[in-house]
Amino acid sequence: MLLLEEKIRKEGQVLPGNILKVGSFLNHQIDVDLLDKMGEEIHRLYGQSGVTKILTIEASGIAIACMAARHFGVPVVFAKKSQSRNIGGEVYSVKVESFTHKKVYDVVVAGEFLSAEDRVLIVDDFLANGKALLGLVDLVRQAGAQVLGAAIAIEKGFQGGGDLVRSLGVRVESLAIIEQMDGGEIRFR
Amino acid sequence: MLLLEEKIRKEGQVLPGNILKVGSFLNHQIDVDLLDKMGEEIHRLYGQSGVTKILTIEASGIAIACMAARHFGVPVVFAKKSQSRNIGGEVYSVKVESFTHKKVYDVVVAGEFLSAEDRVLIVDDFLANGKALLGLVDLVRQAGAQVLGAAIAIEKGFQGGGDLVRSLGVRVESLAIIEQMDGGEIRFR
């Protein structure tokens, strides 16, 4: 998606450790108008697939998931990164290691919000090593629901997670794929 | 806002410890269509105030903040609950105790995303004892920016936080105010 690639080129900052900082529009400050256009593009990609629910993970996936869901007219469910006092009852749960925070989280979804009838689109802001995405796929399958695919804002192609998940037969559509960002210069696939 | 009160009556669950569970539409599963209408109502309340930025706090404030921001055409900034490796540089920071999680968080916003020229509307999903809201007001003032007021989805009026913040001269508009929910029956102000 050209508009997103231009925004990344203009405002993204490459930090040591393969970190791409896009806090000015995606995961600290949010450019709601840009996210709405990204939501429209996600709908163009998956609008014919019969999506009944969009699944994301807190915190920074929530904005893009909501802006996409508006175009689909379906609810969002966001997986939580630790078991809250407020969840209770049956939960689907998986352990996920965060690339950014170097921590292992329990990622949970309450059983009542994913059912075997659901056709789920997974939406997230970043795809790096693929662990969060595989965790979300696992949660959907625990519910007996169908994973239609994933829509990602920014995939760090050079970290291999996207290709790994694709090789497992899951459709993955990323709005921007970074092939390389060594030395601070960003090259898209 | 009648539509929200009806939704709370229909789907809200009162748990011991003054917890109101609204995970089916607000803070686990998200009813995007309802949140869009709530955003419209927030715009009706503050649309003439010259808002330049909407500030919220992760995670469950992000959805309602984004859906409101769409109507204002301004960016959202979400405060983070601990200092991420990705923030860096100057930050505004305040300590906030969470009512739900019984934990004290460092709540931070990167300096670059709030400036003295900003006229800030604070948006959040819940207002209980007011500590999160006062923390956000503090962050805005650290930046030298102006707090125009707060728009809250659900205020637990009986916990007193909303009235406390109003008594300090901050405009607080809540779309639903729960006066009492003892014994599981919900009464609105």
Side-chain angles (χ1 to χ4, degrees):
Chain A
M1 190 186 175
L2 195 60
L3 189 68
L4 176 61
E5 292 185 359
E6 281 168 359
K7 189 82 168 176
I8 295 168
R9 264 193 223 284
K10 201 171 146 211
E11 300 188 15
Q13 289 172 263
V14 179
L15 302 187
N18 279 331
I19 303 248
L20 174 67
K21 205 174 145 182
V22 287
S24 68
F25 61 92
L26 188 61
N27 53 20
H28 190 2
Q29 182 166 256
I30 298 166
D31 181 335
V32 176
D33 186 52
L34 173 66
L35 263 68
D36 191 48
K37 292 191 175 74
M38 290 161 64
E40 208 176 300
E41 173 66 8
I42 292 171
H43 184 256
R44 193 187 64 78
L45 291 162
Y46 283 102
Q48 306 305 316
S49 305
V51 174
T52 64
K53 210 157 266 191
I54 288 180
L55 177 67
T56 189
I57 182 168
E58 64 179 5
S60 48
I62 296 173
I64 171 83
C66 285
M67 298 314 277
R70 227 174 52 78
H71 295 276
F72 286 86
V74 302
V76 167
V77 174
F78 66 90
K80 304 201 173 196
K81 277 182 181 158
S82 67
Q83 186 145 8
S84 156
R85 287 209 299 151
N86 277 10
I87 289 190
E90 186 201 3
V91 297
Y92 307 116
S93 170
V94 67
K95 287 196 187 297
V96 171
E97 190 188 344
S98 159
F99 172 74
T100 312
H101 296 100
K102 309 283 180 211
K103 266 200 249 181
V104 176
Y105 296 97
D106 283 309
V107 172
V108 300
V109 169
E112 61 196 296
F113 302 132
L114 278 181
S115 77
E117 288 71 43
D118 276 318
R119 298 168 59 83
V120 180
L121 173 62
I122 298 170
V123 172
D124 208 354
D125 58 339
F126 266 100
L127 170 52
N129 59 25
K131 286 181 182 170
L133 179 51
L134 287 174
L136 293 175
V137 168
D138 188 339
L139 289 178
V140 176
R141 291 182 175 161
Q142 285 178 38
Q146 191 182 341
V147 177
L148 295 175
I152 305 293
I154 304 176
E155 176 179 340
K156 289 153 126 183
F158 58 89
Q159 285 186 253
D163 293 329
L164 169 67
V165 178
R166 288 181 189 101
S167 77
L168 299 172
V170 177
R171 178 179 173 193
V172 179
E173 304 277 0
S174 298
L175 304 187
I177 304 181
I178 297 174
E179 198 62 287
Q180 208 216 281
M181 57 182 210
D182 287 354
E185 207 205 324
I186 295 169
R187 192 157 56 75
F188 294 100
R189 187 180 292 181
Chain B
M1 190 184 174
L2 194 61
L3 189 67
L4 177 60
E5 291 185 359
E6 281 168 359
K7 190 79 168 181
I8 295 168
R9 264 192 223 286
K10 201 171 147 211
E11 300 188 16
Q13 289 171 263
V14 179
L15 303 188
N18 279 330
I19 302 250
L20 174 67
K21 204 174 145 181
V22 288
S24 68
F25 63 93
L26 188 61
N27 52 20
H28 190 3
Q29 182 166 256
I30 297 167
D31 181 334
V32 176
D33 186 51
L34 174 66
L35 263 67
D36 191 48
K37 292 192 175 74
M38 291 161 65
E40 207 176 299
E41 173 67 6
I42 291 171
H43 184 256
R44 194 186 64 77
L45 292 163
Y46 283 101
Q48 305 306 315
S49 305
V51 174
T52 64
K53 210 157 266 190
I54 288 179
L55 177 67
T56 189
I57 182 168
E58 65 180 6
S60 47
I62 296 173
I64 170 83
C66 286
M67 297 315 277
R70 228 173 53 76
H71 295 277
F72 286 86
V74 302
V76 168
V77 174
F78 65 91
K80 303 202 173 195
K81 277 183 182 157
S82 67
Q83 187 146 7
S84 157
R85 287 209 299 149
N86 277 9
I87 289 190
E90 186 202 2
V91 297
Y92 307 117
S93 170
V94 67
K95 288 197 185 296
V96 171
E97 189 189 343
S98 159
F99 172 76
T100 312
H101 299 279
K102 307 284 179 213
K103 266 199 249 178
V104 176
Y105 296 97
D106 284 310
V107 172
V108 299
V109 169
E112 60 195 301
F113 301 133
L114 278 180
S115 77
E117 287 71 44
D118 276 319
R119 297 168 59 83
V120 180
L121 173 63
I122 298 170
V123 172
D124 207 355
D125 58 338
F126 266 100
L127 170 53
N129 59 26
K131 287 182 182 169
L133 179 52
L134 287 174
L136 293 176
V137 168
D138 188 338
L139 289 178
V140 176
R141 292 182 174 160
Q142 285 178 37
Q146 191 182 341
V147 178
L148 295 173
I152 305 293
I154 303 175
E155 176 179 341
K156 289 152 125 183
F158 58 89
Q159 285 186 251
D163 293 329
L164 168 68
V165 178
R166 288 182 190 100
S167 77
L168 299 173
V170 177
R171 179 178 173 195
V172 179
E173 303 278 0
S174 298
L175 303 186
I177 303 181
I178 297 173
E179 198 61 288
Q180 209 216 278
M181 56 182 211
D182 287 353
E185 206 205 324
I186 296 170
R187 192 158 55 76
F188 294 99
R189 187 180 292 182

